[in-house]
């Protein structure tokens, strides 16, 4: 099934590498009120994080790589104060993961940044989204036979110093139990594979730069893995700030309540909220896996209501609760008996699912073809120098 669907979607992927005119899309419904508009400061932060996660697509079998100090074929030059710590690639399957760890030094905001890439295995992802859920444990057990890794896998035995702990060892990780919580098996396996590759580097970075903000950002599958990583890091006594773009539903209702509680997500959209889940109109991935399969969303959704790029501040809104009908959940009103509903337009995996401030997923200079919408801020408009000034859109 996955192979057949892959063949069906391959032409759409190939079209993403050449110019294509994309028909306009209409939001499912206008947002209820401008009172929900985010601040200009948060807008700028999200736009920057979108570029940071876009760089992660240079990692992996389909990418061109990232080299030290921080060089790649994409947007690395836009972050001159970044220092690459490590890039990881655990493989090409859904249960594997790609991304990078970087340090953001002054004069930029001091940060330890983990960027989790989405998957190029779109066909396999859609099929595997129907996988059977599995029980969620607040932190996984030490499932690695390598003694060199064991100190990093069990949060109870990590012993590092932190400035906010007066130089003492962090308290033993003892997160509250997540009663009746289940998570998507593929996403959970992806995090288990990832944590073995990255925890030694993250631990060392926190020890060396204890005042740096710990920032996790992920797109698509990477958003689900970033969410699970954030919970794991909190179990270790760390203070992660998580932002996801196009994050799929990753667990049942009890698990999402647990996420909201662990990150102290407030209904007033406090600036202190440390988890933002960004969605975009017509993106089918945040609606998968289906509610009929027992999956739901967590709170602090930020919804981009404009179908075209680039969005303005007025196009980006806070949402209310876990599944605000004025946001991405509003497109999930038709309930199928089973399977993926016909309303899911799979070509949106290559458009709306990747249109988060920029079109994500291309490891090429500038992050996307220069001025492919002809209206990116800070970019020269070549239309005046062209033949007819027609705007050309590329995937």
């Amino acid at each position: 099934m996955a192979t057949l669907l892959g063949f069906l979607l391959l032409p759409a992927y190939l079209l993403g590498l050449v110019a294509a005119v994309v028909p306009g899309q209409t939001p499912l419904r206008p947002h209820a009120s401008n009172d929900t508009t985010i601040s200009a400061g948060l807008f700028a932060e999200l736009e920057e994080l979108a570029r940071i996660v876009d760089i992660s697509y240079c990692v992996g079998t389909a990418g061109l790589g990232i080299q030290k100090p921080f060089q790649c074929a994409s947007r690395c030059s836009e972050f001159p104060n970044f220092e690459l710590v490590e890039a990881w690639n655990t493989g090409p399957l859904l249960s594997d993961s790609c991304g990078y760890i970087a340090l953001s030094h002054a004069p930029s905001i001091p940060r330890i940044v983990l960027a989790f890439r989405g998957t190029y295995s779109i066909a396999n992802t859609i099929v595997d989204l129907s996988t059977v859920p599995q029980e969620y444990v607040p932190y996984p057990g030490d499932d690695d036979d390598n003694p060199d890794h064991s100190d990093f896998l069990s949060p109870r035995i990590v012993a590092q110093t932190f400035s906010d702990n007066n130089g003492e060892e962090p308290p033993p990780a003892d997160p509250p139990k997540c009663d009746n919580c289940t998570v998507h098996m593929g996403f959970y396996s992806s995090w288990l594979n990832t944590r073995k590759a990255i925890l030694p580097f993250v631990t060392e970075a926190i020890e060396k730069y204890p005042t740096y903000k710990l920032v996790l950002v992920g797109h698509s599958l990477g958003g689900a893995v970033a969410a699970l990583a954030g919970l794991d890091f909190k179990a270790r006594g760390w203070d992660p700030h998580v932002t996801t773009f196009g994050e799929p539903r990753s667990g049942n209702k009890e698990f999402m309540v647990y996420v909201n509680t662990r990150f102290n997500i407030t209904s007033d959209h406090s600036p202190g909220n440390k988890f933002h889940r960004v969605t975009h109109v017509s993106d089918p991935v945040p609606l998968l896996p289906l509610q009929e399969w027992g999956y739901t969303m967590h709170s602090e959704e930020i919804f981009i209501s404009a179908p075209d790029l680039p969005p303005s501040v007025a196009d980006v809104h806070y949402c209310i609760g876990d599944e605000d009908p004025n946001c991405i959940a509003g497109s999930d009103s038709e309930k199928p008996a089973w399977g993926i509903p016909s309303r899911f337009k799979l070509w949106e995996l290559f458009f709306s699912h990747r249109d988060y401030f920029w079109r994500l997923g291309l490891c090429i200079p500038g992050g996307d073809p220069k001025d492919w919408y002809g209206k990116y801020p800070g970019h020269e408009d070549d239309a005046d120098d062209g033949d007819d000034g027609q705007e050309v859109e590329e995937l």
Side-chain angles (χ1 to χ4, degrees), residues 121-197:
S121 304
I122 298 296
N124 289 337
T125 300
I126 293 299
V127 173
D128 289 342
L129 281 173
S130 62
T131 189
V132 176
Q134 72 174 64
E135 181 184 3
Y136 174 74
V137 180
Y139 60 87
D142 188 347
D143 54 356
D144 189 0
D145 294 332
N146 187 342
D148 294 333
H149 288 177
S150 61
D151 287 346
F152 300 104
L153 291 179
S154 173
R156 292 184 180 277
I157 57 178
V158 171
Q160 302 294 340
T161 58
F162 301 83
S163 61
D164 60 355
N165 224 28
N166 298 320
E168 300 177 358
E169 292 183 1
D174 189 17
K177 184 180 179 182
C178 192
D179 292 322
N180 301 316
C181 293
T182 60
V183 294
H184 183 283
M185 185 182 299
F187 301 158
Y188 198 51
S189 297
S190 183
W191 167 237
L192 293 181
N193 292 340
T194 303
R195 66 199 292 266
K196 300 175 185 180

Side-chain angles (χ1 to χ4, degrees), residues 238-322:
W238 299 345
D239 186 25
H241 295 67
V242 183
T243 300
T244 66
F245 299 95
E247 174 192 345
R249 293 164 169 155
S250 55
N252 65 357
K253 182 176 181 180
E254 288 80 5
F255 176 71
M256 292 309 166
V257 170
Y258 187 78
V259 172
N260 294 339
T261 302
R262 291 294 286 156
F263 281 92
N264 297 316
I265 296 176
T266 60
S267 59
D268 60 355
H269 311 297
S270 165
N273 283 349
K274 297 177 181 179
F275 200 131
H276 295 117
R277 178 172 61 90
V278 187
T279 63
H280 180 226
V281 63
S282 298
D283 182 358
V285 172
L287 302 175
L288 294 170
L290 300 177
Q291 285 183 320
E292 290 75 15
W293 300 341
Y295 293 88
T296 187
M297 306 175 189
H298 61 80
S299 293
E300 200 58 9
E301 177 185 359
I302 295 177
F303 181 60
I304 302 174
S305 60
D308 297 325
L309 292 176
S312 67
V313 175
D315 299 320
V316 187
H317 308 271
Y318 283 116
C319 303
I320 300 173
D322 294 345

